[in-house]
Each structure stands twice: as structure tokens, then as C-alpha cells.
Amino acid sequence: MTVLNAPPDDLHTAERLRAGYAEVLTELRKISVGQDDVIEQVFIGLMAGGNCLLVGVPGLAKTLLIHSVAQALDLRFSRIQFTPDLMPSDLTGTDIVQDDPDTGGRRLVFTPGPIFANIVLADEINRTPPKTQSALLEAMQEHRVTVQGRTYTLEPPFFVFATQNPIELEGTYPLPEAQLDRFMFEVILDYLAEPEEIEVVRRTTSIQAPVFSHALSGRDILAFQDLVRRVPAAEPVVKYAVQLVRRTRPGEADAPQAIKQWVLYGASVRAAQSLILGGKARALLHGRYHVSFEDVRALLKPVLRHRILLNFHAQSERVTTDQVVDRLVEAVPVPASGL
């Protein structure tokens, strides 16, 4: 591991992180085929304390992957199937009236909802109205929920993973930009290569009962999150991340022509925060105790693709946000500092 005056305790924790990730990857490969890049992005999100939106057509094992991550990490898992009739209280919980055996009267007792878990999977999140979607906002940002004026803290570690089908739009509700911004990454799951698809069919049409060992625990995840925030990021790297994010905004004087032509609204400051935090976690996974420009560039698409709102011209020309990000990378040079 490349270190820059890393404290011995941090170095030990970093080695444990890398070893733990290798163990988790081994466990997840029992059920996952050809999704190593997706698993890495999910794991970086966990280490950085971020929520993730998983986008892919049905049948790509999005739900299975997140459930398996929870099993491998020995974390409490909760799956919520989002439907048009789902109410906010179905997520957060509600007060119910119960008899009090001591007084003989009745009292209100809070019954926690499925959001009280370590990993919450919001399955097909865009199938419920904005009122219910917004019930997740406080939990995703402050890790707490407020019911009937009382606030309840969610036990750490806490993560929201949401899934979304990009092709089926009937009966769906677009996610508000404020909620999209609270997802650290948008992770794309694409079709597998033919050999990998053959392996999936072979495995899933035979007897299969994988048993997961608990490679890491919730306590480990919290220790890794603390370590990630202690990893140094040089000033040129931070400046580069901020420049990339600022130049997604068409109103900026130095925004690239592609941004001014195709983008309606650019990314918020949360994007730059996600690039640096994610870059720190990625650096540790790759054996470094400092963030490089490559770490930032590697995470640009998952960080920006859901934070850039394209205009009518881009939609009419079938331009994607990933293509816009590619133009952005070409237009913003990497500082020549050798990091």
C-alpha cells in the first residue's frame, strides 16, 4: 500500500478494509456473475456512507445483489416494494393505540416501519407518488425519521438502496431532483456478456443453496467510514473535482459548449462531496492512502449521471448524460501535478 505518513492504526484498518472487500467479493460471486464493477461501486458507497440508486431492466438481479450484500455484512435488511398505494407511514411506522395494563387506560405506542434497518431496499422506487417518496428524504440525509412530531434515530450503519426500471414508464412517478441528489451514485446494471449469461442460466437452473459467511460486520463498516474521512485529498484533487462539477452548470462562463448546448441544470455541491468521499474509498480499495485524479474520473459517471438534467435539445438528439460526462472530461484538463 502506498502511504503518505499514514498512522499505524489507520494503516491496519486500511489493510482490513482491503481484505474484507476481497472476502465480500468472494461471497457475492456465489450468486453474482460478471458484476464486479457494480459490486465495487456499491462497496465504495457503503464505505463512504452514501445511498445508491440501481438502474437496470428486470432480471439483472438488482434485488438479489443488495440482499446478498446485507447477508455478507451481517446487517439487518428490509425490502419495501414501492406501489402507487404505499403511504409514508408504511415506510416510517406509525403510532397505534394500545391498552396500558398498569393504568387500565389507553396510550399511543410507536410501531417502527421497515425503514428501521441497516440496509433498506426501496424496490421500484419510482412506482410510488412523490408524497411517499419524500418520506425517505429525512432518513437518507439525517438518518432519522419524524412521526407525529417525534424524532427517531436510525441505528447506524444505515443505507438506502433503490432500484428503478429505465424502460417501463407507465404508472411511474419521476423522482424529485432533491431526492435524486441524495443518492451518492447511480449505478447502471447492463446485460451480461454471453459467457456470463450462460453461467447465470446454468447456476439458476440447478440446485443452488449458497451459504454466506459474514466477512464484515456493521462495526467494521462504521470503522471504515471513519477511516475514509481521514484519507488526505490534495488541494489540486479537490479543486479538480469542484471544477468538474461547476462546469456541468450551463450558466458558468467556462462551461464547455456541450454543457451549454445540452444541459438544463447542472450538479450541486453534493456531487463534488461525493467525488472526493468516493475517491477516498476507492483509493483505499486500490491500496493507496491518498486520492488521485484517476479516482475522481473513475467515479464521474455514477456521481453525475443522475444529477445532470438534460434539456429538450439533448433529448431530441438522444444524447445521454454519460455522453455529456465524456465531453466534460475532454474539456476539463487534469492538473499536471502527478497525483
Side-chain angles (χ1 to χ4, degrees):
M1 171 172 286
T2 303
V3 296
L4 294 178
N5 300 319
D9 289 346
D10 282 4
L11 185 56
H12 174 75
T13 306
E15 293 292 352
R16 173 66 181 132
L17 185 153
R18 291 186 68 203
Y21 173 65
E23 294 175 37
V24 169
L25 190 58
T26 298
E27 293 300 307
L28 294 180
R29 281 173 175 164
K30 294 177 180 178
I31 59 94
S32 178
V33 177
Q35 299 284 12
D36 286 4
D37 289 344
V38 171
I39 293 172
E40 180 177 288
Q41 291 177 35
V42 168
F43 198 78
I44 288 173
L46 291 171
M47 298 305 98
N51 309 296
C52 293
L53 176 64
L54 280 69
V55 178
V57 299
L60 296 182
K62 299 183 293 293
T63 301
L64 177 62
L65 173 62
I66 301 305
H67 189 195
S68 301
V69 167
Q71 288 180 291
L73 299 178
D74 196 21
L75 297 176
R76 287 188 296 117
F77 173 78
S78 177
R79 176 182 176 271
I80 307 169
Q81 180 62 53
F82 277 57
T83 56
D85 60 349
L86 196 71
M87 299 296 292
S89 59
D90 294 329
L91 305 180
T92 61
T94 188
D95 291 324
I96 62 173
V97 177
Q98 287 189 350
D99 293 328
D100 190 331
D102 297 327
T103 64
R106 292 185 172 184
R107 59 192 176 96
L108 287 174
V109 177
F110 178 66
T111 302
I115 204 169
F116 285 82
N118 298 123
I119 290 183
V120 176
L121 176 62
D123 222 352
E124 295 187 283
I125 189 173
N126 58 332
R127 289 202 169 275
T128 199
K131 179 180 179 180
T132 304
Q133 293 174 2
S134 65
L136 286 173
L137 289 176
E138 185 181 15
M140 293 172 68
Q141 187 66 27
E142 284 87 25
H143 294 184
R144 66 187 186 192
V145 295
T146 301
V147 179
Q148 300 292 339
R150 289 187 296 274
T151 299
Y152 303 89
T153 301
L154 299 167
E155 179 185 346
F158 175 78
F159 308 95
V160 171
F161 288 88
T163 67
Q164 191 169 300
N165 177 357
I167 60 173
E168 192 175 357
L169 300 179
E170 185 176 350
T172 62
Y173 304 83
L175 292 182
E177 278 68 29
Q179 183 153 25
L180 283 171
D181 202 29
R182 283 169 169 80
F183 286 104
M184 182 177 187
F185 294 152
E186 179 181 314
V187 182
I188 300 296
L189 284 81
D190 206 347
Y191 290 113
L192 299 174
E194 183 176 343
E196 295 165 343
E197 196 162 345
I198 291 172
E199 176 63 16
V200 168
V201 173
R202 187 190 65 78
R203 288 191 191 183
T204 55
T205 54
S206 60
I207 297 176
Q208 186 183 31
V211 177
F212 294 99
S213 63
H214 302 314
L216 297 170
S217 66
R219 183 175 297 180
D220 291 324
I221 299 299
L222 293 176
F224 296 158
Q225 289 178 359
D226 288 340
L227 173 65
V228 165
R229 290 183 173 270
R230 293 196 296 272
V231 172
E235 189 66 22
V237 176
V238 175
K239 185 176 180 180
Y240 179 59
V242 171
Q243 286 178 341
L244 285 166
V245 171
R246 288 182 63 85
R247 292 183 188 180
T248 65
R249 304 164 189 166
E252 289 288 321
D254 53 357
Q257 182 58 36
I259 298 296
K260 295 180 179 181
Q261 180 181 355
W262 290 327
V263 175
L264 185 61
Y265 292 106
S268 75
V269 69
R270 281 198 187 101
Q273 293 169 335
S274 295
L275 285 173
I276 294 301
L277 271 179
K280 291 182 176 186
R282 185 179 186 273
L284 289 172
L285 286 185
H286 288 255
R288 288 177 281 105
Y289 196 74
H290 68 278
V291 187
S292 70
F293 296 118
E294 177 54 33
D295 293 321
V296 172
R297 290 164 67 99
L299 299 178
L300 267 178
K301 288 181 179 178
V303 166
L304 293 180
R305 60 167 57 111
H306 58 298
R307 290 185 165 98
I308 294 177
L309 183 60
L310 300 181
N311 59 25
F312 172 77
H313 298 293
Q315 295 170 14
S316 63
E317 297 175 28
R318 297 190 177 183
V319 173
T320 66
T321 51
D322 281 9
Q323 291 172 327
V324 172
V325 172
D326 287 336
R327 295 289 188 92
L328 178 69
V329 171
E330 294 171 0
V332 183
V334 176
S337 66
L339 288 176

